[in-house]
Amino acid sequence: MAPYGSWASPVSAELAASHDGRPEYLDAVGQEIWWTAPRPEEGGRRALVRLRPDGVEESVLPAPWNVRNRVHEYGGRPWAGVEREAMGHPLLERSRELGEGPLLVFTHFDDQRLYAYEPDAGGEPRPLTPVSETGGGRRWCDPLVLPERGEVWCVLEEFTGEGPTDLRRVLAAVPLDGSAADDRGAVRELTDDRHRFVTGPRLSPDGRRAAWIAWDHPSMPWDGTELRVADVSASGSAGGTLTGARTVAGGPEESIAQVEWAPDGSLVAATDRTGWWNLHRVDPETGAAVNLCPREEEFAAGLWKIGLRWFAMLPNGLIATVHGAGDTALGILDPATGELADVPGGWTDWASALAVVGDRVTGVAAGPYSGHEIIELDTCTGRARVTGSAHTDAVDPAYYPQPRHRTFTGPDGREVHAHLYPPRNPDFAAPDGELPPYVVWAHGGPTGHVPLVLDLELAYFTSRGIGVVEVNYGGSTGYGREYRNRLREQWGVVDVEDCAAVARELAAEGTADPARIAIRGGSAGGWTSAASLTSPLAEGVYACATIIYPILDLASWATGETHDFESQYLESLVGPLAEVPERYRERSPQHHADRVRAPFVLLQGLDDVICPPVQCERFLQQIAGRGVPHAYLTFAGEGHGFRRADTMIRAIEAETSLYAQTFGFEPAEPGVPRLELKP
């Protein structure tokens, strides 16, 4: 028996850090499946992983290669590949001479250039695009390798000045022969830059048309987008051009998150025109749309990164699709009948990454007791199996929490969805009558969603006797557009109210100790955590807070202190700055430091251009001398989202020490550094 918080656990900070991240950007190259994988122990780089048909899994590019880009700062699909033996363009004579095997095109994070690489032929990757010294340089993502044209078609994000919004985005064609490696003029622009944002092109089965998604400020992609279609000219020395570009669907109040061509030449789009992201067949000429499976479920989510894929077409016309309300499943949809058959298994979250090889569909999935794995579905037999990145229990699963879905009641009786993770450790029990401390986790975004899956960082706390509740507050994806729109002009209100409502209900029902409830979050979750310390809506609820790379000053963030992608996000989240400037001040923690009573720790990456350190620094100037215990930890080489193992370990230990000092327990591990809290 031991007090909550002081339980010894085999889930160490080192273990949690080593399992951070998941496979991303999965795709097929011939008969093989490839993806990018996190490497926290290697400075946080993303490795490119190959799964051969015989089941052998191997990392292809060694350090320091980092398969990642900075398009929109969050990054987009960083690679694509084709089988080299299928090529037939004279520009690729060199590749054909190298024999069989794949040709890969990828972006390298350090210089943001596009590279070509033949992994089975030896040698090093060769650059395809030039370096730029202007502003944030040139960035490329969502590539489509077209060997018959001798080009890669992709999104080009190009800075035109030194400011974070001095840039343009177009669809571009990059020669595969390397002629553009030192010559920007050799890159062909396929579209003009009339739209601020574009996704990569998708070519029709006959190669005669291209489709992509576009949108403009102040809309975010979950607010309103356009489905664009253009004709593709015949191949020639120019490699083909796009003509007659037109919008066939979408608008300011319709979000189209993904588009693909069906084998019959029609388009399939995930659009929320019904209030839910459902799959629609869209006529590429008229824009007429038919809902293929009308349900109050989401078949897509927020397009935070270009190249996310919630559905994929099978050669026989069936559609593999991720779908659900809250939890997600992988299903096979017959568009002719609307019938949807789900994959059996214990997975509760399928990522936006699907690949098709013949009648096999491969995706990335996790469950409450398993991390993200590569899952292959045989659509002929209905059998699903783990084929890559297999989950293995790093510790006895008895130390994992046993989570459950909860629906809480927020202001005005509104539903608030959350996941509850009570403390659990087979070796310990708390003294009779003691209620456990709890931490409210507010996710980032804020137009995001936290799934019910195994997270060893979360298990680190629950196995020590600290409960966690993850709140999908109003504004979260996964529950339809109406739920998502609750946050319009209400950021700093609805999110704060919903998290506080969950905390109060847990206390009232006797689940949590009302005197020992904390809040934590990163990015938009860091905003909600900080706002909860300064807002009257959550007054007296939280004993302390962990605030990670947050937004703290709305007005300055909206006027030059963040990147282009989110530079006008607050126009919908808070309201037009020109019309309601007082609202920006009233809700910002920066201007209400005098209301902070609870201890807190601020964790910040020094290379963060999305939520820059200056926001924390100004806030701390206001806190100084007010007698509030706090700490500020910064991490060189880290941006928005910690990736390095040593950073994550230090952050977890600092958070633990904050809770120990605030909640009144001694950590079981004597090696956990005591966080110095300065008044």
Side-chain angles (χ1 to χ4, degrees):
M1 185 174 292
Y4 286 114
S6 65
W7 300 349
S9 169
V11 185
S12 64
E14 290 80 4
L15 182 64
S18 68
H19 285 72
D20 187 76
R22 69 182 185 186
E24 284 188 311
Y25 301 116
L26 176 143
D27 208 348
V29 181
Q31 297 296 307
E32 299 179 342
I33 298 296
W34 294 61
W35 64 89
T36 68
R39 295 288 186 264
E41 70 284 359
E42 297 179 20
R45 78 180 185 100
R46 297 290 301 193
L48 191 60
V49 178
R50 176 184 197 175
L51 181 64
R52 294 181 179 272
D54 61 5
V56 175
E57 183 179 327
E58 62 184 22
S59 184
V60 176
L61 287 165
W65 293 106
N66 190 353
V67 184
R68 183 176 154 225
N69 58 63
R70 290 181 59 186
V71 172
H72 294 184
E73 294 299 347
Y74 291 111
R77 179 174 290 272
W79 76 276
V82 294
E83 289 184 299
R84 214 169 47 241
E85 58 267 30
M87 298 175 182
H89 192 280
L91 289 175
L92 300 178
E93 188 66 32
R94 173 183 177 274
S95 288
R96 290 205 307 274
E97 291 173 354
L98 294 172
E100 297 182 353
L103 167 68
L104 302 184
V105 171
F106 70 93
T107 55
H108 178 46
F109 186 76
D110 289 358
D111 60 14
Q112 293 297 299
R113 300 173 83 182
L114 199 62
Y115 285 80
Y117 181 49
E118 297 91 0
D120 294 346
E124 289 292 309
R126 50 189 174 88
L128 298 179
T129 57
V131 174
S132 171
E133 300 300 328
T134 303
R138 296 189 183 102
R139 304 166 180 181
W140 318 79
C141 81
D142 208 7
L144 176 65
V145 184
L146 299 173
E148 70 280 5
R149 297 181 182 272
E151 293 179 325
V152 181
W153 288 13
C154 58
V155 174
L156 163 60
E157 179 179 85
E158 184 172 40
F159 279 74
T160 58
E162 296 301 321
T165 62
D166 296 334
L167 49 73
R168 58 196 295 271
R169 299 181 184 89
V170 297
L171 298 185
V174 178
L176 278 167
D177 64 357
S179 59
D182 297 306
D183 180 9
R184 169 62 176 85
V187 175
R188 296 191 308 113
E189 295 190 8
L190 298 169
T191 63
D192 56 32
D193 57 2
R194 71 179 62 184
H195 290 289
R196 191 67 171 182
F197 304 97
V198 291
T199 65
R202 301 289 181 264
L203 286 185
S204 61
D206 60 9
R208 297 175 61 184
R209 287 176 293 186
W212 66 96
I213 297 168
W215 68 98
D216 294 287
H217 284 319
S219 290
M220 298 299 288
W222 40 86
D223 296 326
T225 59
E226 298 179 16
L227 171 53
R228 303 276 288 170
V229 175
D231 299 318
V232 181
S233 69
S235 299
S237 60
T241 58
L242 301 183
T243 62
R246 64 263 185 201
T247 295
V248 300
E253 292 296 325
E254 178 182 355
S255 168
I256 299 172
Q258 183 187 344
V259 62
E260 304 290 343
W261 292 93
D264 65 359
S266 63
L267 287 166
V268 176
T271 167
D272 70 349
R273 59 174 54 192
T274 65
W276 297 80
W277 273 303
N278 280 188
L279 298 186
H280 288 67
R281 186 183 299 280
V282 180
D283 187 307
E285 299 299 331
T286 67
V290 177
N291 195 335
L292 298 178
C293 186
R295 292 191 180 195
E296 291 191 348
E297 293 184 8
E298 303 284 38
F299 288 70
L303 189 62
W304 278 97
K305 300 178 179 181
I306 296 176
L308 300 182
R309 187 178 297 160
W310 292 273
F311 68 92
M313 309 301 301
L314 277 76
N316 59 8
L318 299 179
I319 305 173
T321 180
V322 174
H323 69 100
D327 288 352
T328 55
L330 174 64
I332 302 299
L333 172 65
D334 184 343
T337 65
E339 295 181 0
L340 184 62
D342 286 347
V343 175
W347 302 291
T348 52
D349 178 63
W350 286 80
S352 48
L354 294 178
V356 172
V357 177
D359 53 17
R360 291 177 289 131
V361 178
T362 304
V364 181
Y369 307 105
S370 62
H372 286 89
E373 306 172 290
I374 309 300
I375 311 295
E376 180 192 83
L377 168 68
D378 185 328
T379 60
C380 295
T381 65
R383 178 173 176 258
R385 64 189 182 101
V386 177
T387 57
S389 191
H391 170 82
T392 56
D393 289 314
V395 299
D396 188 330
Y399 294 94
Y400 298 160
Q402 293 182 323
R404 60 181 185 271
H405 293 285
R406 287 286 304 269
T407 301
F408 294 86
T409 303
D412 302 320
R414 65 177 182 248
E415 290 185 345
V416 180
H417 300 288
H419 310 314
L420 189 69
Y421 296 82
R424 185 182 185 225
N425 186 314
D427 304 325
F428 291 92
D432 290 342
E434 182 184 1
L435 292 175
Y438 261 80
V439 183
V440 175
W441 282 25
H443 66 70
T447 312
H449 178 87
V450 60
L452 186 85
V453 298
L454 177 64
D455 181 340
L456 288 187
E457 184 177 5
L458 191 154
Y460 172 93
F461 291 104
T462 58
S463 63
R464 283 163 173 73
I466 301 173
V468 172
V469 59
E470 296 180 313
V471 183
N472 280 313
Y473 48 81
S476 300
T477 57
Y479 308 100
R481 187 167 185 122
E482 182 179 351
Y483 194 90
R484 198 165 77 241
N485 282 353
R486 285 184 188 176
L487 211 56
R488 283 196 170 181
E489 298 199 10
Q490 295 297 309
W491 198 36
V493 178
V494 165
D495 52 324
V496 171
E497 287 180 335
D498 285 0
C499 288
V502 169
R504 290 184 177 116
E505 191 167 334
L506 290 176
E509 71 187 22
T511 297
D513 183 343
R516 296 194 294 172
I517 298 178
I519 187 168
R520 67 99 81 169
S523 189
W527 153 267
T528 300
S529 300
S532 295
L533 297 188
T534 59
S535 172
L537 300 172
E539 186 173 0
V541 173
Y542 303 110
C544 62
T546 300
I547 304 168
I548 311 169
Y549 36 84
I551 300 166
L552 297 168
D553 185 355
L554 294 173
S556 62
W557 197 79
T559 54
E561 283 188 1
T562 191
H563 61 143
D564 183 66
F565 177 62
E566 294 179 273
S567 62
Q568 296 187 37
Y569 195 4
L570 301 188
E571 293 287 298
S572 60
L573 286 177
V574 182
L577 177 58
E579 298 175 15
V580 290
E582 71 286 349
R583 189 182 295 168
Y584 281 65
R585 182 178 181 86
E586 176 55 34
R587 294 185 190 171
S588 293
Q590 169 68 26
H591 301 294
H592 299 289
D594 59 306
R595 297 177 182 172
V596 179
R597 301 288 185 272
F600 65 89
V601 58
L602 270 175
L603 306 173
Q604 178 68 47
L606 292 178
D607 294 347
D608 194 338
V609 298
I610 297 174
C611 295
V614 67
Q615 293 246 326
C616 292
E617 293 161 5
R618 287 201 303 262
F619 181 68
L620 292 173
Q621 290 173 359
Q622 298 298 316
I623 287 290
R626 296 187 180 276
V628 178
H630 67 278
Y632 180 43
L633 276 63
T634 60
F635 302 95
E638 291 282 16
H640 197 68
F642 299 154
R643 296 175 178 271
R644 300 170 58 97
D646 54 346
T647 298
M648 289 183 277
I649 292 168
R650 182 70 184 99
I652 291 171
E653 291 177 341
E655 187 174 354
T656 302
S657 182
L658 172 69
Y659 300 152
Q661 294 178 60
T662 306
F663 295 157
F665 63 82
E666 288 294 328
E669 292 88 348
V672 173
R674 180 179 175 83
L675 182 68
E676 183 181 358
L677 298 173
K678 300 179 180 180

